[in-house]
Structures are given as C-alpha cells and as structure tokens.
Amino acid sequence: MKLIIINGPNLNLLGKREPEVYGNKTFEDYFADLQFKYKDVQLEYFQSNIEGELIGKIQEVGFSYDGIVLNAAAYTHTSVGIGDAIKAVTTPVVEVHISNTHKREEFRHVSYISPVAKGVILGFGLQSYDLAIQSFLK
Ligand code: DQA
C-alpha cells in the first residue's frame, strides 16, 4: 500500500499559523506519528505553496500509487487545474481539510476538488488525515 499526503499553500506553517483554527502541532511532527502508526503503509509527504508543483506531483504519482490524501488548502476553492489533474489520473484522491470549511467564510464552501474526489473528510483537525488513510485500508 503506497499512499502520499499532498499539502497545499501555507500548510508548511502548521503549528505557527492561526493555532486557534489549525492547532499547535507542526505537520512534520504529525507525519512522524502517522508513519509510526501505519508501519505497513508506504507513506510519503509532499508540500508546496505553488499550484503547478501540486499538479506536477499529482501527475507524477497518480498512475502508480494506491491513494492520494490531498489538502489543497486555499487552492481547493480556486483551482480548476488541480481538479482537472485529479480527473486525469487513475489513483483515487481523498480530499481533506483540518477545519470544517462549511462553518467558515462562504468562499470556503466551494471546492473544485470534491466533485472529482473519492470522498471528503473535513473538520476533525489533523485527525482528518488519519481518517483519510484509514479509508484506503478498508
Ligand atoms: C484548509 C481550509 C482552507 O479553506 C484554507 O485555505 C487552508 C486550510 C483546512 O485544512 O482547513 O489553508 O484546507
């Protein structure tokens, strides 16, 4: 089982960024917890603040990996390109968000990822990633 977590813009600042929304833990620390918990899963992590790099990574892994856990962050609400990339590849994508975007500003209620994702998990803090991984193991 080969999975990758792909994080979009500003998620490199987790731990520092708006802790009341996103918590106090860095993603690197949380990723180490996930690797420890899912020892039998080949788990990779990629983050970029650049839309084209996210699309490039989806294309690169999207015909061979078993699953992509994608938090496209702000690009969720704007990126036709990321949505098209997900449609173009064969690897299923589970969309995740740390916060419950539907409880927040209206512009966060729109997602270009949801219509092309296998499923969506949001609002459970960092645990959203864990739940997404579990969805691929069942
Ligand atoms: C987010 C929600 C997005 O609206 C926001 O732009 C993010 C993080 C989340 O995980 O809650 O950067 O994807």
Side-chain angles (χ1 to χ4, degrees), residues 58-59 62-63 81-91 116:
I58 291 166
Q59 292 182 2
F63 296 93
I82 293 177
D84 280 353
I86 295 168
K87 254 196 264 178
V89 300
T90 52
T91 298
V116 289

Side-chain angles (χ1 to χ4, degrees), residues 50-109:
I50 300 168
E51 187 175 11
E53 288 186 0
L54 297 166
I55 292 170
K57 183 53 83 172
I58 291 166
Q59 292 182 2
E60 181 191 320
V61 304
F63 296 93
S64 55
Y65 284 38
D66 299 300
I68 298 172
V69 174
L70 175 65
N71 186 347
Y75 290 139
T76 303
H77 318 300
T78 62
S79 181
V80 174
I82 293 177
D84 280 353
I86 295 168
K87 254 196 264 178
V89 300
T90 52
T91 298
V93 173
V94 171
E95 174 184 0
V96 306
H97 299 285
I98 297 165
S99 63
N100 179 350
T101 47
H102 296 289
K103 266 202 215 165
R104 301 180 66 192
E105 304 95 320
E106 214 160 300
F107 69 86
R108 295 186 205 275
H109 302 180

